[in-house]
């Protein structure tokens, strides 16, 4: 009961983190001051009231806080005052303190008002692994988690059942459901060894890179269109394929970062580095004829800094575009000094040559192949060189057969060489030019040139770059971001491992995935976050090894179901005493349906694809006017990561399932629950195709009865057999569908004729196929089907 009371109080206070007898400034006090006080008494010097600063200990204790003495502490006197002229926060501010928050601040002052260095800006420190004296943990991670649970009088949930666990693992690591064979193998031997082999199989699958790329593309706001005005297409899809390839090859995250921020500046930069540098070109641009280049260059600079800081710092430096940050130590000078790193990016050409063409032009651009295509082309070129340089030495010199074989091999290789060369796609790259002058823009006004000229430098409170007399560049910035000794590599590592944790547990150790600043939430398990950040750096910034370690923990393998009292005590699962359950992402919903239907095309890379969408959806999209032409055949059934991303008019199925427009960094998609989602699952043309194809697949399989086929359908979609109640529902539903279509054969014919030519509709009569299509639609729309648990 005491625990429940404490939790209730903390919920009112709004603290989503730990409770101990000792008050922690970072965990307990700073969030209150940041939310209620820093706007007027924080880092922003220009707008600071009463010359009072509460975010700095020395300043606060000189004027507003007398440690240990409530009666002489102006802070306490003001927050308990009932006089509107002296009460803080002021009544007209829209902010107020609860009785619990006031009590906490009083206790903090009574204990001496100790401050702490801000957790995110301090280097991660090695942590002693707690000794839990328990057999439950399998990894030091489990010891950290179990220790925190015990402090809250909680205990872990039971282990997940094998079907739930393998489906969770498959979706988390590949974004796809497990195959029937993988499920059968694991159920035959659900041991830790078998699970470990499955983990390695999923990590080695090309689907891993596609799953991870989907999240990264949200972060860096990748899209196939420019965003502003006419939202024309632009050339960038090879960058997406580069990201997929990097995750599959487990390119260290520090190298991955350097290639994107400064691939063109790397010594001996190759084609892959230049494709990676396309990151700097992902921002929104305008190709409207009357744009003011100076205005839009200022907008582009701000866009880059918002994204850079969110992706690598986990910070909202964009809030310092017009004035010093209200809650964090970033100044307006820091903002424009960071922007100066990108002043050399050649982004002016489209003002002269960009147009309403599809795709529009955004030089510099280059024609490229994917990594695997380049590797294959090198092999072919080597083989051709050997054949051409030594054409007269077959094993039997006089053998016509050997000569013919050699000629055929030569012809085949030349044909493949030509096909690969023809497969080149254009992509935007970064080229360094003479840096533009960068000034501080007071109030962010691009017309105001009164601000000081700045050179590239990092935020002063985070350190300095040592480049001597040489102007710092993007490569220096990239090095600094991943340098855990002289730079902020520890912060970068914290940000990234927190997001990897989120991908596998449904929430981060800090729930603020893109804001490690004062308005974000501190980590519930700070020691664990430090432990993981250090491990990530020491393990060569390996994404795959970190993901492998996390999924092998006992914490990850818990059931998402728990005792009601545990769920009531911790509704947001702050202490990870169970796994999380939530609807799959838009792309996973689509990909799962394609996989179950047998339509799924597993090709990796290539141009973006256009699935069916409602006619007239682009009717308001002008400059130029567009008529959407969906792909036919296999292009319809590629993975969601390859779907054309139109920023202003995102594909309706993706939009309904909460996919972002990618105008800004998205570290965590919202998860809505609306009737529109069910309507999309039932009626989206591509998903109707998957239902017909799944029905066709069922009818092709040898089955002795309707009941057997119903069980097979359930097994294909949900990886398990139906129970007695579910079987009864399915049987009744199929019977009614069959009766309906027998009475309305034209409706059956119309439904089946709507399928893409790629779907086999000749397997049975329209009535029978339509009836089984109804079963498929029911299963693909089931809550369990679209839920990761």
């Amino acid at each position: 009961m005491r625990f429940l009371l404490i939790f209730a109080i903390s919920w009112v206070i709004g603290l989503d983190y730990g409770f101990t007898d000792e008050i922690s400034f970072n965990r307990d006090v700073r969030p209150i001051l940041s939310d209620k006080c820093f706007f007027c008494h924080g880092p922003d010097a220009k707008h600071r009231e009463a010359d009072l600063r509460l975010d700095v200990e020395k300043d606060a204790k000189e004027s507003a806080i007398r440690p240990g003495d409530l009666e002489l502490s102006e802070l306490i006197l003001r927050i308990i005052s009932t006089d509107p002229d002296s009460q803080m926060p002021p009544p007209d501010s829209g902010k107020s303190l609860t009785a619990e928050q006031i009590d906490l601040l009083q206790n903090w002052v009574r204990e001496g008002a100790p401050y702490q260095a801000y957790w995110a800006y301090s280097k991660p420190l090695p942590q002693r692994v707690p000794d839990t004296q328990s057999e439950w943990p399998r990894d030091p991670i489990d010891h950290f988690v179990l220790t925190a649970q015990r402090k809250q009088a909680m205990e872990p949930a039971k282990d997940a059942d094998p079907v739930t666990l393998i489906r969770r693992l498959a979706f988390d690591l590949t974004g796809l459901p497990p195959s029937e064979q993988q499920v059968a193998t694991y159920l035959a031997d659900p041991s830790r060894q078998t699970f470990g082999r499955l983990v390695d199989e999923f990590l080695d699958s090309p689907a891993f890179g596609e799953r991870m790329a989907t999240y990264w593309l949200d972060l860096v706001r990748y899209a196939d269109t420019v965003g502003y005005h006419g939202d024309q297409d632009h050339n960038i899809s090879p960058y997406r394929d580069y990201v997929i390839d990097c995750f599959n090859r487990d390119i260290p995250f520090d190298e991955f970062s350097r290639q994107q921020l400064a691939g063109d500046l790397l010594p001996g930069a190759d084609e892959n580095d230049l494709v990676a540098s396309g990151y700097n070109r992902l921002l929104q641009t305008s190709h409207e004829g009357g744009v003011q280049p100076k205005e839009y260059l200022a907008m582009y600079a701000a866009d880059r800094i918002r994204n850079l800081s969110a992706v690598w710092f986990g910070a909202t430096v964009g809030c310092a575009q017009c004035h010093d940050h209200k809650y964090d130590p970033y100044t307006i000078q820091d903002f424009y000094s960071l922007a100066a790193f990108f002043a050399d990016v050649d982004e002016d050409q489209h003002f002269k040559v960009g147009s309403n063409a599809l795709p529009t032009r955004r030089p510099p651009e280059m024609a490229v192949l994917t990594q695997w295509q380049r590797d294959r082309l090198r092999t072919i070129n080597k083989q051709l060189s050997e054949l051409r340089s030594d054409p007269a030495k077959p094993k039997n010199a006089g053998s016509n057969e050997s000569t013919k074989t050699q000629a055929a091999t030569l012809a085949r290789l030349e044909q493949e060489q030509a096909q690969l060369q023809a497969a080149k796609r254009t992509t935007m790259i970064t080229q360094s030019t003479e840096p533009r002058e960068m000034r501080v823009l007071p109030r962010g006004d691009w017309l105001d040139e009164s601000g000081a000229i700045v050179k590239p430098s990092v935020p002063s409170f985070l350190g300095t770059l040592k480049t001597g007399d040489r102007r710092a560049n993007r490569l220096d910035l990239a090095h600094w971001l991943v340098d855990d000794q002289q730079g902020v590599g520890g912060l970068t590592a914290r940000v990234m491992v927190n997001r990897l944790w989120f991908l596998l547990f449904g929430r981060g150790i800090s729930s603020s995935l893109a804001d490690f600043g004062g308005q974000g939430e501190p980590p519930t398990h700070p020691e664990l976050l430090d432990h993981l950040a250090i491990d990530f750096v020491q393990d060569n910034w390996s994404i795959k090894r970190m993901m492998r370690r996390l999924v092998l923990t006992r914490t990850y393998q818990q059931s998402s179901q728990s005792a009601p009292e545990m769920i009531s005590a911790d509704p947001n699962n702050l202490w990870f005493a169970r796994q999380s359950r939530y609807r799959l992402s838009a792309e996973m919903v689509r990909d799962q349906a394609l996989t179950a239907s047998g339509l799924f095309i597993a090709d990796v890379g290539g141009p973006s694809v256009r699935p069916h969408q409602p006619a007239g959806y682009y009717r308001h999209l002008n400059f130029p006017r567009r008529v959407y032409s969906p792909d036919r055949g296999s292009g319809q059934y590629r993975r969601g990561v390859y779907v054309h991303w139109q920023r202003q008019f995102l594909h309706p199925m993706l939009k309904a399932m909460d996919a972002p427009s990618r105008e800004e960094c998205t570290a965590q998609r919202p998860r809505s629950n609306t009737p529109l989602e069910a309507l999309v699952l039932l009626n989206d043309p591509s998903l109707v195709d998957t239902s017909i194809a799944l029905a066709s697949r069922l009818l092709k399989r040898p089955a002795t009865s309707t009941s057997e086929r119903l069980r097979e359908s359930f097994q294909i979609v949900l990886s398990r057999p139906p129970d007695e109640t579910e079987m009864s529902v399915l049987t009744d539903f199929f019977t009614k569908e069959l009766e309906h279509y027998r009475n309305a054969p034209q409706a059956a014919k119309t439904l089946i004729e709507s399928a893409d030519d790629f779907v086999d509709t000749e397997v049975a009569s329209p009535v029978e196929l339509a009836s089984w299509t109804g079963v498929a639609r029911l299963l693909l729309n089931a809550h369990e089907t679209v839920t990761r648990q």
Side-chain angles (χ1 to χ4, degrees):
M1 180 61 71
R2 177 176 177 272
F3 164 70
L4 293 178
L5 177 61
I6 294 174
F7 191 91
I9 291 174
S10 72
W11 185 256
V12 173
I13 296 176
L15 305 179
D16 287 357
Y17 28 82
F19 317 105
T20 59
D21 293 334
E22 182 179 348
I23 295 173
S24 164
F25 178 76
N26 275 335
R27 185 193 62 218
D28 304 324
V29 177
R30 185 189 290 273
I32 299 175
L33 298 179
S34 180
D35 185 43
K36 310 296 184 183
C37 310
F38 285 179
F39 187 84
C40 296
H41 304 296
D44 185 0
K46 189 172 182 179
H47 299 94
R48 191 177 299 139
E49 299 289 343
D51 198 28
L52 170 61
R53 186 168 186 179
L54 292 176
D55 62 315
V56 175
E57 181 176 14
K58 180 176 180 294
D59 294 354
K61 290 183 177 178
E62 282 180 353
S63 53
I65 298 174
R66 179 69 65 88
D69 194 329
L70 301 184
E71 294 183 358
L72 293 179
S73 293
E74 189 70 16
L75 170 70
I76 301 302
L77 296 177
R78 290 299 189 101
I79 65 175
I80 63 175
S81 173
T82 57
D83 181 355
D85 293 330
S86 60
Q87 182 181 354
M88 290 291 163
D92 60 359
S93 68
K95 296 179 180 291
S96 61
L97 291 167
T98 66
E100 292 80 9
Q101 290 172 326
I102 292 173
D103 185 56
L104 190 149
L105 291 174
Q106 288 177 321
N107 287 335
W108 172 62
V109 171
R110 191 177 290 116
E111 293 178 5
Y115 275 67
Q116 292 174 302
Y118 191 61
W119 66 271
Y121 307 137
S122 304
K123 287 187 177 182
L125 298 174
Q127 301 293 326
R128 183 182 64 83
V129 178
D131 182 6
T132 59
Q133 298 291 311
S134 170
E135 295 182 358
W136 184 79
R138 293 176 182 162
D139 183 281
I141 291 170
D142 296 324
H143 286 283
F144 283 108
V145 171
L146 183 59
T147 298
Q149 289 173 2
R150 285 175 170 176
K151 288 181 180 179
Q152 313 309 320
M154 303 187 78
E155 59 185 24
K158 64 181 181 180
D159 292 344
D161 66 86
V163 170
T164 297
L165 187 56
I166 188 175
R167 284 180 65 84
R168 176 192 302 165
L169 182 72
F171 281 118
D172 285 351
L173 295 187
T174 70
L176 300 171
S179 70
E180 291 180 81
Q181 182 58 52
Q182 287 168 332
V183 173
T185 298
Y186 185 54
L187 294 186
D189 177 22
S191 63
R192 292 171 59 182
Q193 292 72 26
T194 305
F195 186 78
R197 288 193 292 270
L198 274 172
V199 170
D200 292 335
E201 182 179 342
F202 290 143
L203 289 174
D204 290 340
S205 165
F208 172 76
E210 293 169 322
R211 183 271 186 276
M212 295 300 295
T214 300
Y215 184 65
W216 185 257
L217 298 180
D218 277 0
L219 291 172
V220 298
R221 78 273 194 245
Y222 167 91
D224 291 295
T225 62
V226 302
Y228 291 134
H229 194 56
D231 199 23
Q232 299 89 357
D233 298 357
H234 59 193
N235 296 307
I236 196 60
S237 64
Y239 169 83
R240 176 203 60 216
D241 295 348
Y242 152 81
V243 172
I244 293 170
D245 183 68
C246 284
F247 281 115
N248 278 330
R249 292 194 293 137
D250 200 21
I251 299 300
F253 184 73
D254 58 341
E255 181 181 342
F256 183 57
S257 300
R258 292 188 193 98
Q259 287 178 334
Q260 293 178 81
L261 289 164
D264 58 311
L265 302 181
L266 289 170
D270 59 17
E271 188 171 299
N272 200 56
D273 298 323
L274 293 176
V275 172
S277 74
Y279 160 75
N280 295 313
R281 312 294 308 286
L282 293 174
L283 73 171
Q284 297 185 88
T285 57
S286 177
H287 298 253
E288 189 261 325
V291 300
Q292 295 280 346
K294 187 175 179 181
E295 176 187 13
Y296 273 83
L297 287 174
M299 291 170 62
Y300 298 167
D303 190 329
R304 287 195 173 97
I305 300 313
R306 289 196 303 272
N307 193 260
L308 168 80
S309 65
V311 174
W312 278 277
F313 296 9
T316 56
V317 182
C319 293
Q321 179 181 354
C322 304
H323 49 72
D324 291 348
H325 202 293
K326 293 289 186 181
Y327 306 101
D328 300 329
Y330 299 104
T331 66
I332 190 171
Q333 178 145 340
D334 290 334
F335 179 91
Y336 289 99
S337 296
L338 282 171
F341 280 106
F342 300 89
D344 69 320
V345 174
D346 184 357
E347 194 63 86
D348 297 22
Q349 294 189 48
H350 80 80
F351 295 124
K352 301 174 182 177
V353 302
S355 68
N356 291 337
L358 296 175
T360 190
R361 295 182 62 196
R362 283 187 59 193
E365 300 172 316
M366 67 183 294
V368 298
L369 297 172
T370 63
Q371 181 68 50
W372 74 264
Q373 287 172 327
R374 292 195 294 271
D375 293 343
R376 178 59 184 157
L377 190 57
R378 278 191 289 269
T379 301
I380 290 173
N381 290 340
K382 181 179 179 181
Q383 291 174 334
L384 285 173
S385 178
E386 292 172 352
L387 285 170
R388 288 165 178 163
S389 64
D390 195 15
K393 288 187 178 180
K395 291 183 179 180
N396 300 313
S399 169
N400 288 332
E401 191 64 32
S402 295
T403 303
K404 289 179 180 179
T405 300
Q406 186 168 335
T409 301
L410 189 66
R412 177 179 57 78
L413 290 173
E414 287 175 339
Q415 182 182 16
E416 188 176 356
Q417 181 190 52
Q419 290 172 341
L420 284 171
Q421 292 287 6
K424 285 187 174 182
R425 284 174 286 149
T426 302
T427 191
M428 295 180 289
I429 61 171
T430 300
Q431 284 184 354
S432 181
T433 63
E434 183 66 24
R436 296 181 294 277
E437 180 181 86
M438 187 64 64
R439 289 179 177 271
V440 171
L441 300 180
R443 297 173 299 172
D445 184 358
W446 64 277
L447 291 172
D448 188 342
E449 296 187 348
S450 65
I453 296 174
V454 294
K455 293 183 178 180
S457 64
V458 299
S460 57
F461 77 95
L462 291 176
T464 58
L465 287 179
K466 298 178 181 179
T467 60
D469 295 331
R470 177 178 61 80
R471 177 188 172 99
N473 59 31
R474 285 177 283 114
L475 186 56
D476 297 313
L477 174 64
H479 286 321
W480 178 78
L481 284 170
V482 293
D483 184 343
D484 65 312
Q485 298 300 316
Q486 304 300 319
V488 290
L491 171 59
T492 301
R494 270 201 195 105
V495 170
M496 193 59 191
V497 296
N498 189 54
R499 288 170 178 161
L500 297 180
W501 185 279
F502 159 74
L503 291 178
L504 298 174
F505 292 90
R507 70 178 304 276
I509 297 173
S510 164
S511 61
S512 303
L513 302 183
D515 186 3
F516 273 21
Q519 290 299 95
E521 293 290 345
T524 52
H525 303 66
E527 296 84 6
L528 174 57
L529 188 57
D530 274 13
H531 173 81
L532 292 174
I534 292 172
D535 180 57
F536 187 44
V537 174
Q538 292 179 346
D539 213 4
N540 196 31
W541 299 83
S542 169
I543 299 288
K544 281 192 176 182
R545 276 179 279 188
M546 178 57 69
M547 295 290 277
R548 188 180 198 278
R549 182 184 178 189
L550 293 177
V551 299
L552 290 177
T553 63
R554 198 75 179 270
T555 306
Y556 175 82
Q557 296 174 31
Q558 293 177 100
S559 171
S560 59
Q561 299 179 354
S562 187
E565 61 271 19
M566 289 292 135
I567 296 176
S568 298
D570 185 12
N572 290 329
N573 199 18
L574 303 178
W575 307 110
F576 306 107
R578 62 183 183 277
Q579 254 290 359
S580 298
R581 57 194 308 168
Y582 44 84
R583 198 206 64 222
L584 297 172
S585 69
E587 293 89 340
M588 289 186 194
V589 170
R590 168 187 167 84
D591 296 345
Q592 171 176 248
L594 290 173
T595 303
S597 71
L599 292 175
F600 182 72
I601 303 297
D603 295 345
V604 178
S608 297
V609 298
R610 288 175 164 82
H612 292 293
Q613 67 181 29
Y617 183 58
Y618 279 3
R619 65 187 179 277
H620 298 303
L621 193 55
N622 296 303
F623 307 106
R625 295 188 66 182
R626 266 150 277 186
V627 176
Y628 187 82
S629 299
D631 290 330
R632 303 300 298 176
S634 62
Q636 277 288 320
Y637 309 118
R638 307 266 333 265
R639 285 199 71 164
V641 70
Y642 300 112
V643 170
H644 175 79
W645 215 271
Q646 187 85 34
R647 277 179 165 132
Q648 288 187 17
F649 289 86
L650 184 62
H651 190 281
M653 181 269 170
L654 299 176
K655 191 176 183 69
M657 297 288 173
D658 302 317
S661 64
R662 292 182 177 161
E663 296 169 74
E664 295 285 347
C665 170
T666 302
Q668 182 173 359
R669 297 182 181 185
R671 294 177 185 138
S672 63
N673 183 11
T674 70
L676 185 60
E677 295 167 10
L679 292 172
V680 166
L681 288 170
L682 284 170
N683 300 310
D684 179 86
S686 294
L687 295 177
V688 171
D689 281 356
T690 63
S691 297
I692 298 172
L694 175 54
S696 176
R697 179 184 177 190
L698 288 168
L699 290 166
K700 288 178 181 178
R701 292 165 70 116
T704 59
S705 66
T706 297
S707 295
E708 183 179 349
R709 188 162 279 140
L710 288 171
R711 290 189 180 90
E712 286 184 347
S713 68
F714 205 94
Q715 184 74 44
I716 288 172
V717 176
L718 292 167
S719 307
R720 66 175 179 85
D723 61 27
E724 186 176 336
T725 301
E726 291 163 338
M727 190 63 192
S728 176
V729 170
L730 281 175
T731 302
D732 289 347
F733 180 79
F734 175 74
T735 302
K736 291 176 181 178
E737 286 288 280
L738 192 59
E739 180 181 359
H740 166 69
Y741 284 116
R742 280 174 175 166
N743 293 328
Q746 186 57 44
K749 187 176 180 181
T750 300
L751 172 64
I752 302 309
E753 287 178 347
S754 71
D756 191 278
D757 294 338
F758 206 68
V759 180
D760 182 4
T761 59
E762 302 297 324
V763 68
S765 69
V767 167
E768 188 175 12
L769 184 55
S771 302
W772 282 104
T773 296
V775 172
R777 293 173 86 180
L778 176 69
L779 289 172
L780 292 175
N781 199 36
H783 175 75
E784 184 177 340
T785 304
V786 298
T787 302
R788 179 268 196 201
Q789 54 185 345

